[in-house]
Amino acid sequence: DFVEHLVPAHCRYDDYVGTAAADDAMPAQGQASLYEMAGIDPDRWTILGVGLSRWQKHNIGRVYAVDRLENRVNDSSDLLELARRTGGAIPVKRFHMEGQNFQDLVDEAFQRLTITLLSRHLEELGVTYDVVADSSDDD
């Protein structure tokens, strides 16, 4: 069996690299949950990861979820035990969210989303950034 390990995000040239963090949104009346957008059953699956990609004006959204029934997982302690049993690799299935508009996905799936990208060339050298002023301070 071919196994693809999830790795940090990368692009062709990785001109900018960084981190992201998000808070789940509690779907409001009429809004779809992340599970609904991915077309998966929240009673069977637990989403452990989200991937968003843009390539030549094509948006690609995907979620990575563990099958709780197949892996006998009910809570986070069961996930830790599963990781111990599998040598640290939790088996997940990738679900593609075809045709999802990025803005709709972000608006409906996340209450807050922060993405920080820094120049790869300086990151490789271990350079840090000290923000000494905000551009609005110049006004």
Side-chain angles (χ1 to χ4, degrees):
D1 289 340
F2 172 75
V3 175
E4 176 186 350
H5 297 285
L6 289 179
V7 296
H10 65 88
C11 293
R12 185 175 189 178
Y13 299 112
D14 286 341
D15 295 321
Y16 296 91
V17 296
T19 61
D23 293 336
D24 274 337
M26 293 295 139
Q29 189 78 13
Q31 280 187 312
S33 72
L34 190 54
Y35 286 87
E36 290 169 318
M37 287 185 271
I40 60 177
D41 180 0
D43 293 327
R44 178 171 181 171
W45 298 89
T46 295
I47 295 174
L48 298 179
V50 178
L52 303 172
S53 301
R54 180 167 175 80
W55 182 74
Q56 294 184 350
K57 298 186 181 183
H58 294 281
N59 297 328
I60 302 165
R62 57 189 102 54
V63 296
Y64 301 90
V66 63
D67 185 333
R68 291 198 314 270
L69 298 178
E70 183 178 308
N71 293 289
R72 298 182 304 278
V73 171
N74 292 312
D75 55 28
S76 58
S77 64
D78 291 340
L79 275 173
L80 291 173
E81 179 56 34
L82 175 61
R84 279 193 276 280
R85 288 194 319 261
T86 59
I90 295 176
V92 295
K93 181 175 181 180
R94 178 177 35 222
F95 293 86
H96 294 274
M97 294 183 282
E98 300 296 333
Q100 282 290 335
N101 175 296
F102 261 24
Q103 190 64 48
D104 292 344
L105 177 67
V106 167
D107 288 348
E108 293 189 25
F110 306 116
Q111 184 175 13
R112 285 175 286 280
L113 173 67
T114 301
I115 300 170
T116 303
L117 302 172
L118 304 173
S119 169
R120 172 182 52 93
H121 304 292
L122 294 177
E123 191 268 341
E124 289 173 348
L125 296 172
V127 173
T128 60
Y129 297 81
D130 291 332
V131 179
V132 296
D134 191 81
S135 65
S136 62
D137 295 341
D138 296 335
D139 296 339

